[in-house]
Amino acid sequence: MCGIIGIIGKREVAPLLLEGLRRLEYRGYDSAGVATLVGKGIERRRAEGRLDNLAERLEREPLSGKTGIGHTRWATHGRPTERNAHPHATDKVAIVHNGIIENFHELRDELVAKGIRFETDTDTEAVAHLLTVSLNDGATPEQAMADAMDRLRGAFSLAVVFAGQPDLMIGARRGSPLAVGYGDGEMYIGTDALALASLTRRITYLEEDDWVVLSPQGVRIFNQRQPVERPVKETALSGALIGKGNYPHFMLKEICEQPAVIGDTLQSFLNPLTRQVQLPKLPFDFATVPKITIVACGTAYLAGLVAKYWFESVARLPVEVDIASEFRYRAAPMPDGGVTIAISQSGETIDTLAALQYAKSQGQICLAIVNVLESVIARESHAVLQTLAGPEIGVASTKAFTTQLTVLAVLAIAAARARGKLTAEREAQLCAALIATPAKVTEIISQEDAIERVANAVVKARDVLFLGRGSSYPIALEGALKLKEISYIHAEGYAAGEMKHGPIALIDENVPVVVMAPLDEVFDKTASNVEQVEARGGKLVLFSNASGIKRLGGRAVASMALPETDPFTAPILYAIPAQLLAYRVAVMKGTDVDKPRNLAKAVTVE
Ligand code: F6R
């Protein structure tokens, strides 16, 4: 959500800002803009909608200047119009902002009382005026920012340029990420390393409440008005790594990367020779952990839901999984010695972060499973396990989900071993099943005709039901989530056994019912639910293995046979056709697959 880029350069900066903004598109946005310092003044170009609109605008009205800031905005306060697009400016400053200034009403009232006129509906404009008032009162830019940090409440990252001072830029962060990049006689600031990937690999990640003064010569970083040192890191990201390659969409590229990234993730957590899990040292012992609490949002929450089935059945360890935005406010009592696992691709999701902070305040040991190692959720946790998915650009999560499942699967095996619930033989079997997963995922991805048939059975529907039992229930939820977010078809996931308690009323010949039915211990129960669907003329779409399809697929309008698997790894495999189905349907419908409407990749506001 919202992306920031800033450059103090040696070159014309507007094209570089635009390119940086393109790298931030994946976060989700609905307007964009840039501002540069020109002579003693500030010039801006802003546009509603896609970056192409801003690019056209810049072509018609080019912007000169070697110092500037850019922004992709996901509207929170005020509609996504050009007027509300960032940068916001006064005669003294231009500012871009990610996050929410929670006390902006109070600041606005105070500033209006001083005779200041607001031009936008945004919270950000209050910060531009706050800084301007300080500057007009004689403060230096540094003093103005230090004072503003004391006044602002909420979660934000900011970049500010000052009229007539091309060698100066100030950035600040609280609860929202911001990175500084080092160039050759140039300095950069950006929401994340991805935004800066084509400019530099030398990055400093700012800490909570840091603010930074950039000049072409380098940076000075402050926290609570005191100078602080932060390390410079070499990032592995390069511009090439985050391209689409020959794929039409990032989502398809990321689906197809799953065999490799699941393999990479497995390799860092288990020994293929001994077939044993090998985790880094964790700050707790599973043998004595009374309970695990998992907090996450969206698809990451569904990975947590699968993990509940694994931890409880294999390790006999009680697990509570909660949606982070609910958990954070419900004052849940938490047991002594309990472990909280926060799952997040971005490591930025504000609700997951807040849930984690609550757990910490309750004395829980916190473990993060994140894709972005430098993220705030990783840094706030006592221990981190990284999913080695690589950058995920498509808004709909795919490879992050299956690598989260991979990490959670090895963690459940480790817990089971520590608690004496797993023989060496069964551990070797489970590890072998995991090791076989990448090849099976490849096999599924190659079944393009089957996916096409299944997509044809769904594409014209207005509503779709997804059913699953046991660890396939979260996969049914994930299938429905994927379909609705990128194809805009209304879809719901249900526990198969729950269907007759309500949703069965929806079934008729127009509603496809997609059933996830691996051959596991609850297959026969799922089979009964399939019969109930068919008895009511439902349009069955079946995912199972060959024998499951032989048994249940006779009347299915479409089905797809998945490879045989140990039921333990079925959720990872069955996630793949759910992703492919959503992807194909979205392509058939011509939606914007990688940037579905209204959605943002990193949800940094409540
Ligand atoms: C759905 C999707 C979202 C995210 C959710 C959490 O495809 O991508 O539901 O899973 O916003 O994001 P992270 O994992 O970054 O915390």
Side-chain angles (χ1 to χ4, degrees):
M1 256 172 193
C2 299
I4 287 176
I5 176 132
I7 303 178
I8 296 188
K10 299 190 289 197
R11 314 166 261 177
E12 285 301 310
V13 86
L16 300 177
L17 291 172
L18 192 62
E19 202 206 317
L21 292 182
R22 291 210 186 276
R23 292 186 186 284
L24 287 165
E25 273 193 293
Y26 79 100
R27 296 174 66 85
Y29 70 105
D30 34 39
S31 61
V34 292
T36 58
L37 297 182
V38 184
K40 293 248 171 275
I42 293 168
E43 285 209 25
R44 290 184 289 171
R45 303 285 181 270
R46 297 174 297 164
E48 253 181 72
R50 293 282 172 227
L51 275 179
D52 288 341
N53 302 344
L54 179 65
E56 270 169 34
R57 186 74 195 276
L58 281 164
E59 207 147 288
R60 272 186 287 137
E61 298 170 61
L63 205 52
S64 62
K66 294 181 179 160
T67 294
I69 50 180
H71 191 257
T72 47
R73 171 174 189 252
W74 190 89
T76 57
H77 295 73
R79 293 175 57 77
T81 57
E82 180 177 334
R83 189 171 63 90
N84 286 329
H86 299 211
H88 293 295
T90 65
D91 60 335
K92 293 269 184 326
V93 301
I95 179 167
V96 287
H97 162 221
N98 177 10
I100 291 182
I101 306 296
E102 281 171 2
N103 58 335
F104 92 98
H105 282 295
E106 177 192 319
L107 294 173
R108 195 173 167 124
D109 290 349
E110 185 183 310
L111 290 157
V112 167
K114 288 187 175 160
I116 288 161
R117 274 192 42 228
F118 276 69
E119 287 172 3
T120 75
D121 310 315
T122 67
D123 50 342
T124 310
E125 193 184 350
V127 188
H129 290 303
L130 195 65
L131 291 169
T132 304
V133 167
S134 288
L135 294 171
N136 286 340
D137 287 346
T140 62
E142 285 91 339
Q143 285 163 344
M145 181 53 86
D147 291 346
M149 287 299 277
D150 291 343
R151 293 295 319 275
L152 300 178
R153 287 206 309 274
F156 53 83
S157 47
L158 305 166
V160 191
V161 285
F162 298 82
Q165 303 197 53
D167 285 351
L168 176 68
M169 182 178 300
I170 299 190
R173 63 147 292 189
R174 179 176 297 156
S176 193
L178 196 63
V180 170
Y182 301 78
D184 180 14
E186 294 193 331
M187 288 299 298
Y188 318 109
I189 201 159
T191 302
D192 58 24
L194 278 184
L196 306 179
S198 63
L199 297 166
T200 183
R201 288 189 179 186
R202 297 181 57 231
I203 303 279
T204 292
Y205 295 96
L206 296 179
E207 301 279 334
E208 186 67 353
D209 274 334
D210 280 356
W211 55 277
V212 60
V213 182
L214 287 87
S215 73
Q217 286 73 43
V219 290
R220 287 176 293 133
I221 304 175
F222 298 87
N223 195 299
Q224 312 289 336
R225 296 178 189 259
Q226 297 304 315
V228 288
E229 296 284 329
R230 303 285 180 229
V232 182
K233 294 186 174 164
E234 193 81 17
T235 142
L237 290 175
S238 72
L241 196 65
I242 50 180
K244 261 198 305 235
N246 291 327
Y247 290 92
H249 298 102
F250 278 108
M251 184 176 176
L252 184 60
K253 173 176 176 261
E254 289 160 5
I255 289 173
C256 294
E257 281 170 355
Q258 288 176 110
V261 296
I262 292 171
D264 290 347
T265 305
L266 279 175
Q267 237 178 13
S268 62
F269 298 124
L270 64 80
N271 183 331
L273 298 177
T274 60
R275 301 195 165 177
Q276 274 198 323
V277 168
Q278 281 178 347
L279 290 181
K281 188 155 174 40
L282 295 172
F284 54 84
D285 179 358
F286 273 121
T288 55
V289 169
K291 178 182 167 192
I292 291 182
T293 304
I294 299 180
V295 289
C297 299
T299 287
Y301 160 75
L302 298 176
L305 211 48
V306 173
K308 177 180 170 71
Y309 288 85
W310 284 336
F311 277 109
E312 294 192 343
S313 64
V314 181
R316 311 293 302 138
L317 176 51
V319 174
E320 183 185 354
V321 192
D322 209 343
I323 294 167
S325 56
E326 289 299 315
F327 180 81
R328 64 181 289 191
Y329 291 117
R330 74 181 166 82
M334 305 190 83
D336 287 346
V339 168
T340 292
I341 303 179
I343 309 172
S344 174
Q345 185 285 127
S346 61
E348 282 181 43
T349 305
I350 198 85
D351 286 319
T352 307
L353 175 63
L356 174 81
Q357 286 165 336
Y358 173 78
K360 246 168 116 180
S361 75
Q362 300 299 300
Q364 304 295 288
I365 305 168
C366 296
L367 171 67
I369 297 179
V370 292
N371 199 33
V372 182
L373 206 49
E374 302 79 15
S375 60
V376 51
I377 288 176
R379 280 190 270 135
E380 289 259 335
S381 301
H382 299 112
V384 183
L385 297 177
Q386 189 186 13
T387 50
L388 297 181
E392 189 178 69
I393 309 291
V395 163
S397 190
T398 52
K399 60 177 182 168
F401 179 61
T402 48
T403 52
Q404 285 160 356
L405 291 179
T406 304
V407 173
L408 289 160
V410 291
L411 208 54
I413 295 173
R417 187 172 65 200
R419 297 168 74 82
K421 304 293 179 200
L422 200 63
T423 60
E425 192 189 349
R426 183 65 184 139
E427 177 171 0
Q429 275 170 4
L430 295 180
C431 288
L434 283 170
I435 291 165
T437 306
K440 292 183 181 178
V441 172
T442 307
E443 200 180 318
I444 296 169
I445 291 171
S446 66
Q447 292 189 46
E448 287 179 20
D449 291 349
I451 284 294
E452 199 72 17
R453 279 197 303 277
V454 171
N456 275 322
V458 165
V459 66
K460 295 227 164 65
R462 201 191 60 180
D463 309 288
V464 180
L465 289 183
F466 283 75
L467 303 181
R469 245 179 210 265
S471 62
S472 297
Y473 163 49
I475 302 303
L477 294 174
E478 171 63 1
L481 177 62
K482 283 285 96 86
L483 187 68
K484 66 186 144 199
E485 71 181 325
I486 61 168
S487 76
Y488 313 144
I489 293 176
H490 170 242
E492 295 297 335
Y494 283 99
E498 184 67 9
M499 190 188 57
K500 51 194 170 303
H501 299 284
I504 201 163
L506 294 174
I507 290 177
D508 64 22
E509 63 286 356
N510 298 317
V511 179
V513 181
V514 181
V515 181
M516 302 286 173
L519 215 61
D520 56 14
E521 59 286 1
V522 288
F523 177 84
D524 288 338
K525 307 284 171 196
T526 310
S528 307
N529 302 131
V530 166
E531 307 278 354
Q532 291 153 10
V533 168
E534 288 184 327
R536 280 152 191 89
K539 206 172 154 187
L540 175 67
V541 175
L542 184 64
F543 294 110
S544 188
N545 67 357
S547 60
I549 289 191
K550 199 160 157 211
R551 189 163 145 202
L552 296 177
R555 276 173 287 160
V557 290
S559 59
M560 180 169 168
L562 274 74
E564 305 289 333
T565 181
D566 185 308
F568 181 72
T569 50
I572 306 179
L573 294 188
Y574 280 67
I576 312 295
Q579 298 165 352
L580 286 165
L581 168 61
Y583 174 75
R584 279 280 153 241
V585 169
V587 170
M588 286 172 178
K589 295 194 75 177
T591 60
D592 193 346
V593 173
D594 285 332
K595 296 188 276 294
R597 67 184 178 211
N598 304 335
L599 290 176
K601 184 72 183 160
V603 182
T604 50
V605 296
E606 276 194 65

